[in-house]
């Protein structure tokens, strides 16, 4: 049946967390039309279960988007971890113990909230920007007209509405597939999905329980000789998740593995502890697979994100986190290009930045999956009699900064203008800071009241770069100003930076190392924009960024990663013009 024809700047297929957050960002940033379709009815989307855990960097990114507050109102903030051996004795330093050392962030915990509740928060936020999920609407066909120039309406798709039976043809400038491991977008464009699907199976079951486990409201591992490394996770609304390996002998014991069997095996998996299920909310069996799409960006107009371009087990609790990293990395780039502000080659940096991190996760996940089923990793070079639980604990600890997201970095590469080596490098600091790394969230203080705030709250993600000017310390000023007069003059004379600021692509903040009654009196000039103070006497912010007494300039990308670091000198504006000239 012939249907209507429409056009839209961006069509997103799939309304899980990755699709919802991508659509929300594009709508929030403005100037771009966006639609999001989902083939499953909302009643199916509302199922309990699925992903549950957001790690610190993911929470920081959502905080920058204004989404964290409502998540925090509903979540279980898990700061406690514990591991028990087969005898029920606590074993320190194993399992999820790396979570106890997630520092350098206000989100020093696992934000646990079942996907059902997260998605509703994201849908509500999206509706505030007049975008709603269209469901049940299925993608039937898709093609690219290579005769149409990039950034124009070169993608043509056919949609089928299963609610009223209508068909629609949609032309879009960009198509983003966020439609999961069985992605229709990936299939329609014949994008290979490379990797393996193992025979390992896992059971997850959520519900309200009664137990004698000593620390039930924690992220817990139970080293079971029969059910692998058993997951016990305290959930929102007082619920608990139990996860265990579904081995062949478990499968052979049941003619049909139903909910009653899942409960029975969960009870066996947590021995020597006792549990009773007062209510089961959700359960599933799934197969572990580690696969990566051969490309995340096709024909300069088709993107894949989340499970559509990479799948892995839930063993390390990274699935939703990795997908949200994809969404946050991608959306501001698409927004700037579509609005004619940034060069189209900016979109090439999406795969260049995300693929290496996905590859790291896949290798890490392969080893974790085997260890959680009481087997040593493939190609293991160590002691063949090694304790798999001890090896697992060491692996999780070594990957702790990656798992938390705080250590995820993007390489400095010639073909990526976003992360550049500048004239300044950190001479001091508690931890290394350099381009391509996350910009640490620091505590700052408002002038006058000296009320505290956080950098993330003052620099929300609005698809805008932030230039942080760390002023020179009093000890080196003498006749030298806190911020050189030449910087003010050069900024006023820079048509490049003035234009980017006027277009909303760039904003400045100044950070002063010491407090005073007036920023003007410290600077001896009108501030560039908003001004904040560092911690009185401790210079915590300066130390965290490795800023010397002579000051420096740090550029933060819209997503909060460091783009470039320059000296606070007469060449600073020229260096900033060069950096932004490669992007805009």
């Amino acid at each position: 049946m012939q249907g209507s024809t429409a056009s839209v700047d961006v069509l997103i297929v799939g309304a899980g967390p990755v699709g919802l957050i991508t659509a929300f960002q594009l709508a929030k940033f403005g100037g771009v039309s966006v639609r999001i379709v989902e083939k499953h009815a909302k009643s199916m989307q509302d199922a309990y279960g699925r992903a549950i855990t957001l790690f610190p960097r993911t929470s920081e990114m959502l905080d920058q988007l204004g989404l964290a507050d409502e998540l925090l109102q509903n979540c279980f903030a898990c700061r406690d971890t514990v591991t028990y051996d087969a005898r029920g004795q606590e074993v320190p330093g194993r399992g999820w113990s790396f979570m106890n050392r997630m520092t350098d962030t206000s989100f020093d915990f696992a934000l646990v909230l079942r996907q059902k509740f997260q998605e509703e928060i994201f849908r509500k936020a999206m509706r505030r920007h007049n975008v709603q999920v269209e469901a049940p609407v299925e993608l039937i066909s898709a093609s690219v007209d290579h005769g149409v120039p990039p950034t124009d309406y070169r993608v043509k798709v056919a949609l089928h509405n299963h609610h009223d039976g209508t068909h629609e043809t949609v032309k879009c400038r960009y198509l983003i597939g966020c439609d999961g491991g069985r992605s229709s977008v990936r299939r329609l464009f014949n994008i290979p999905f490379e990797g393996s699907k193992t025979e390992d199976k896992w059971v997850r079951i959520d519900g309200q329980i009664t137990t004698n486990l000593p620390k039930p409201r924690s992220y817990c591992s139970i080293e079971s000789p029969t059910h692998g490394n058993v997951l016990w996770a305290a959930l929102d609304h007082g619920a608990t998740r139990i996860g265990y390996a579904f081995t062949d002998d478990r499968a052979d014991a049941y003619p049909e593995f139903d909910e009653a069997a899942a409960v029975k095996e969960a009870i066996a998996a947590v021995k020597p502890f006792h549990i009773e299920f007062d209510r089961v909310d959700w359960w599933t069996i799934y197969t572990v697979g580690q696969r990566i799409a051969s490309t995340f960006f096709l024909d300069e107009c088709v993107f894949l994100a989340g499970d559509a371009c990479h799948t892995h087990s839930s063993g390390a609790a990274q699935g939703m986190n990795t997908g949200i990293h994809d969404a946050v990395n991608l959306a501001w780039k698409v927004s700037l290009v579509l609005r004619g502000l940034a060069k189209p080659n900016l979109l090439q940096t999406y795969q260049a930045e995300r693929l290496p991190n996905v590859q790291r996760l896949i290798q890490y996940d392969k080893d974790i999956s085997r260890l959680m089923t009481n087997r040593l990793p493939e190609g293991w070079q160590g002691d063949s009699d090694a304790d798999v639980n001890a090896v697992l604990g060491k692996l999780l600890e070594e990957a702790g900064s990656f798992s938390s997201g705080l250590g995820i970095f993007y390489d400095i590469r010639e073909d990526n203008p976003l992360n550049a080596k500048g004239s300044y490098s950190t001479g001091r600091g508690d931890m290394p800071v350099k381009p391509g790394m996350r910009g640490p969230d620091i505590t700052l203080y408002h002038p006058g009241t000296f009320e505290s705030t956080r950098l993330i709250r003052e620099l929300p993600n609005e698809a805008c770069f932030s230039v942080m000017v760390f002023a020179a310390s009093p000890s080196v000023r003498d006749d030298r100003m806190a911020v050189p007069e030449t910087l003010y003059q050069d900024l006023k004379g820079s048509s490049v930076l003035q234009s980017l600021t006027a277009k909303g692509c760039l904003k400045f903040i100044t950070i002063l190392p010491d407090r005073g009654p007036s920023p003007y009196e410290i600077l001896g000039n009108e501030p560039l924009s908003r001004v904040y103070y560092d911690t009185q006497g401790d210079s915590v912010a300066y130390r965290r960024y490795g800023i010397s007494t002579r000051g420096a300039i740090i550029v933060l990308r819209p997503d909060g990663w460091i783009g470039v670091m320059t000296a606070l000198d007469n060449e600073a504006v020229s260096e900033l013009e060069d950096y932004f000239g490669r992007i805009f």
Side-chain angles (χ1 to χ4, degrees):
M1 179 174 64
Q2 183 66 39
S4 60
T5 301
S7 62
V8 68
D9 290 331
V10 181
L11 177 65
I12 297 169
V13 180
V18 178
L20 293 171
I21 291 171
T22 304
F24 166 74
Q25 290 176 94
L26 291 170
K28 175 180 182 287
F29 300 152
V32 171
S33 60
V34 59
R35 289 176 61 182
I36 177 169
V37 299
E38 167 59 51
K39 70 178 180 180
H40 296 297
K42 185 174 182 294
S43 58
M44 291 184 66
Q45 289 289 99
D46 279 348
Y48 279 101
R50 298 177 289 164
I52 59 172
T53 305
L54 298 177
F55 282 115
R57 183 55 185 156
T58 308
S59 298
E60 286 187 345
M61 293 189 299
L62 295 177
D63 195 18
Q64 281 188 283
L65 291 168
L67 296 171
D69 279 348
E70 194 165 353
L71 292 168
L72 293 170
Q73 291 289 333
N74 291 275
C75 78
F76 179 79
C78 187
R79 288 182 169 87
D80 296 320
T81 71
V82 64
T83 298
Y84 296 104
D85 64 18
R87 299 169 299 160
Q89 300 296 310
E90 278 196 40
V91 186
R94 296 224 292 238
W96 301 97
S97 63
F98 77 89
M99 289 168 52
N100 299 326
R101 289 173 287 284
M102 297 191 303
T103 57
D104 191 41
T105 175
S106 294
F107 294 91
D108 56 351
F109 54 88
L111 193 161
V112 182
L113 185 64
R114 281 170 287 182
Q115 191 169 324
K116 161 190 168 74
F117 298 111
Q118 293 192 40
E119 288 180 355
E120 184 53 39
I121 290 170
F122 302 151
R123 280 195 292 262
K124 284 170 57 180
M126 199 173 63
R127 286 196 295 267
R128 289 195 289 270
H129 294 279
N130 300 313
V131 177
Q132 298 197 50
V133 176
E134 301 172 44
V137 175
E138 184 174 3
L139 176 69
I140 301 300
S141 66
S143 61
V144 173
D145 185 344
H146 293 92
V148 176
T151 76
D152 208 341
Y153 296 90
R154 65 201 311 245
V155 185
K156 181 179 179 181
V157 307
L159 302 175
H160 174 61
N161 188 315
H162 289 281
H163 177 68
D164 59 17
T166 59
H167 289 76
E168 181 184 18
T169 298
V170 177
K171 291 185 177 181
C172 58
R173 298 165 76 180
Y174 293 105
L175 175 67
I176 305 179
C178 304
D179 48 344
R182 296 183 177 88
S183 170
S184 296
V185 175
R186 191 185 65 239
R187 175 177 52 80
L188 289 170
F189 285 99
N190 297 311
I191 299 173
F193 205 30
E194 298 159 350
S196 61
K197 186 174 182 180
T198 72
E199 298 303 314
D200 296 333
K201 294 182 179 179
W202 294 82
V203 175
R204 294 285 187 264
I205 182 168
D206 298 353
Q208 299 285 340
I209 65 167
T210 302
T211 182
N212 65 347
L213 188 94
K215 297 178 180 178
R217 304 307 290 164
S218 66
Y219 236 91
C220 169
S221 295
I222 301 172
E223 297 173 351
S224 168
T226 56
H227 292 73
N229 194 283
V230 176
L231 169 70
W232 178 300
L235 302 179
D236 55 87
H237 299 81
T240 299
R241 170 168 293 184
I242 307 295
Y244 54 88
F246 186 62
T247 56
D248 289 342
D249 58 331
R250 303 270 82 76
D252 293 343
Y254 300 91
E256 178 186 2
F257 197 84
D258 55 13
E259 181 181 300
V263 168
K264 182 178 179 181
E265 289 300 323
I267 292 170
V270 302
K271 288 181 178 178
F273 304 109
H274 172 74
I275 58 169
E276 291 181 9
F277 278 85
D278 304 317
R279 185 186 76 230
V280 173
D281 292 331
W282 170 88
W283 75 278
T284 189
I285 301 175
Y286 69 96
T287 302
V288 173
Q290 291 91 13
R291 293 184 175 182
I292 304 179
S294 62
T295 183
F296 296 2
F297 184 35
L298 181 71
D299 291 335
E300 300 181 83
C301 56
V302 179
F303 294 94
L304 298 177
D307 286 356
C309 57
H310 48 76
T311 61
H312 29 83
S313 81
S314 65
Q318 289 297 310
M320 183 162 57
N321 290 274
T322 306
I324 292 175
H325 274 262
D326 292 347
V328 172
N329 185 281
L330 176 61
W332 64 270
K333 298 173 181 178
V334 171
S335 176
L336 289 175
V337 170
L338 273 176
R339 288 185 284 148
L341 298 171
K343 296 176 180 177
N345 65 1
L346 179 64
L347 300 179
Q348 302 291 342
T349 67
Y350 168 61
Q351 175 166 316
E353 294 189 331
R354 294 303 305 143
L355 179 58
N357 283 284
V358 169
Q359 290 171 330
R360 291 184 191 109
L361 171 61
I362 292 294
Q363 185 52 57
Y364 161 52
D365 185 66
K366 286 179 180 178
D367 293 344
I368 284 180
S369 296
R370 288 184 61 86
L371 288 163
M372 285 191 165
T373 52
N374 293 337
R375 294 172 297 163
L376 291 166
E378 290 182 359
W380 173 251
Q381 300 294 313
D383 183 357
S384 60
D385 295 323
D387 182 341
V388 292
N389 293 302
V391 175
L392 175 62
K394 184 178 180 182
L395 177 61
L396 288 169
E397 182 65 33
E398 289 174 349
S401 68
F402 181 84
S403 297
S404 71
L406 300 173
I408 288 176
F409 62 89
Y410 300 134
D411 293 322
I412 296 176
R413 295 169 36 151
E414 284 294 325
D415 59 351
N416 185 350
L418 291 174
N419 315 308
K421 181 175 174 56
S423 60
Y424 185 82
S425 58
T426 55
R428 61 192 184 116
D430 300 327
M431 288 172 268
V433 172
K434 61 182 181 180
M437 299 181 74
R438 153 194 175 260
D441 188 19
I442 48 179
T443 299
L444 300 171
Y445 297 86
H446 288 282
T449 62
F450 302 143
E451 290 177 286
S452 65
T453 184
R454 291 190 290 114
L455 182 67
I456 279 178
R457 290 294 174 93
E458 299 304 317
L459 299 179
N461 185 349
E462 297 172 335
C464 175
F465 285 77
S466 298
V467 179
M468 300 195 297
V469 179
F470 285 84
S473 298
S475 61
V476 300
R477 285 180 199 161
D478 297 325
D479 295 331
R480 187 172 182 265
M481 298 175 66
V483 174
E485 178 66 27
T486 53
L487 182 71
Y488 291 102
Q489 297 304 320
D490 290 349
L491 282 174
K492 288 178 182 177
S494 173
S495 59
V496 172
L497 300 183
Q498 291 294 327
S499 175
L500 289 174
T501 302
K503 292 175 181 176
C505 299
L506 190 62
K507 59 188 171 188
F508 287 80
I509 69 166
T510 301
I511 299 173
L512 300 175
D514 47 355
R515 297 180 183 179
S518 162
Y520 179 90
E521 293 188 12
I522 296 174
L523 292 167
N525 216 322
E526 286 293 338
L528 297 169
S529 186
R530 296 184 67 82
V531 177
Y532 302 90
Y533 297 128
D534 195 355
T535 307
Q536 185 71 18
D538 292 336
S539 300
V540 174
Y542 274 64
R543 284 191 289 108
R544 183 61 191 90
Y545 274 88
I547 305 298
S548 73
T549 56
R550 302 186 68 83
I553 295 176
I554 310 291
V555 174
L556 291 182
R557 303 161 22 152
D559 53 14
W561 268 261
I562 297 171
V564 70
M565 305 169 69
T566 76
L568 186 61
D569 60 18
N570 295 340
E571 301 300 318
V573 169
S574 175
E575 197 169 344
L576 291 174
E577 287 178 333
D578 182 59
Y579 173 76
F580 288 114
R582 295 193 297 271
I583 298 168
F584 294 100

